[in-house]
Amino acid sequence: MITAAAPFLMFQGQCEDALTFYAGTIPGARIVAMEKKSDGTVAMAGLAIAGLEIMANDSPPVHDFDFTPSTSTFLTVDAPEDVDSLAAALGEGGKALMPPDAYGFSRRFAWVQDRFGVSWQINAA
């Protein structure tokens, strides 16, 4: 029997910086746990966003892969201007995959990949 399920972000030495950035950028987001290894990297951490807990760590081995936009976290916000401000903040140093606009499926939507390579879809309810 499965007792829990959560998204998992595996970084390569940037976990603490990324989670600190998310907690300071996404309204209501907070770091709920952070266990470090003796070398200062993150053994295991948790980030809560709107009731969703995301697990994260710094991978001990270095991998030849990183994040892909095909997996993203979808954020629903109250107002169109919230899409713009979050897309600008999360996308700084990264790239816009779909810049903020009124797409046919949404009155205001953006899809950005942040400077850590993590993708975020932001939609006005």
Side-chain angles (χ1 to χ4, degrees):
M1 172 180 273
I2 297 172
T3 60
F8 191 97
L9 300 175
M10 183 187 67
F11 295 91
Q12 297 188 69
Q14 298 177 307
C15 184
E16 183 174 10
D17 290 343
L19 298 190
T20 300
F21 172 66
Y22 303 147
T25 302
I26 301 169
R30 63 188 175 83
I31 298 170
V32 295
M34 183 155 320
E35 178 187 331
K36 292 187 179 181
K37 296 180 272 187
S38 60
D39 65 0
T41 60
V42 176
M44 190 58 64
L47 176 74
I49 303 174
L52 173 69
E53 187 164 333
I54 300 171
M55 299 170 64
N57 82 342
D58 283 315
S59 174
V62 175
H63 298 282
D64 290 334
F65 56 85
D66 208 347
F67 297 105
T68 171
S70 66
T71 299
S72 60
T73 300
F74 196 97
L75 303 174
T76 302
V77 298
D78 291 327
E81 57 269 15
D82 295 335
V83 171
D84 296 358
S85 62
L86 268 175
L90 289 170
E92 186 176 337
K95 62 182 172 182
L97 303 173
M98 290 177 74
D101 205 346
Y103 295 95
F105 58 87
S106 173
R107 63 184 175 135
R108 196 71 174 169
F109 174 85
W111 191 347
V112 299
Q113 190 172 42
D114 69 30
R115 66 180 180 241
F116 302 102
V118 177
S119 295
W120 303 88
Q121 295 185 60
I122 309 155
N123 185 57

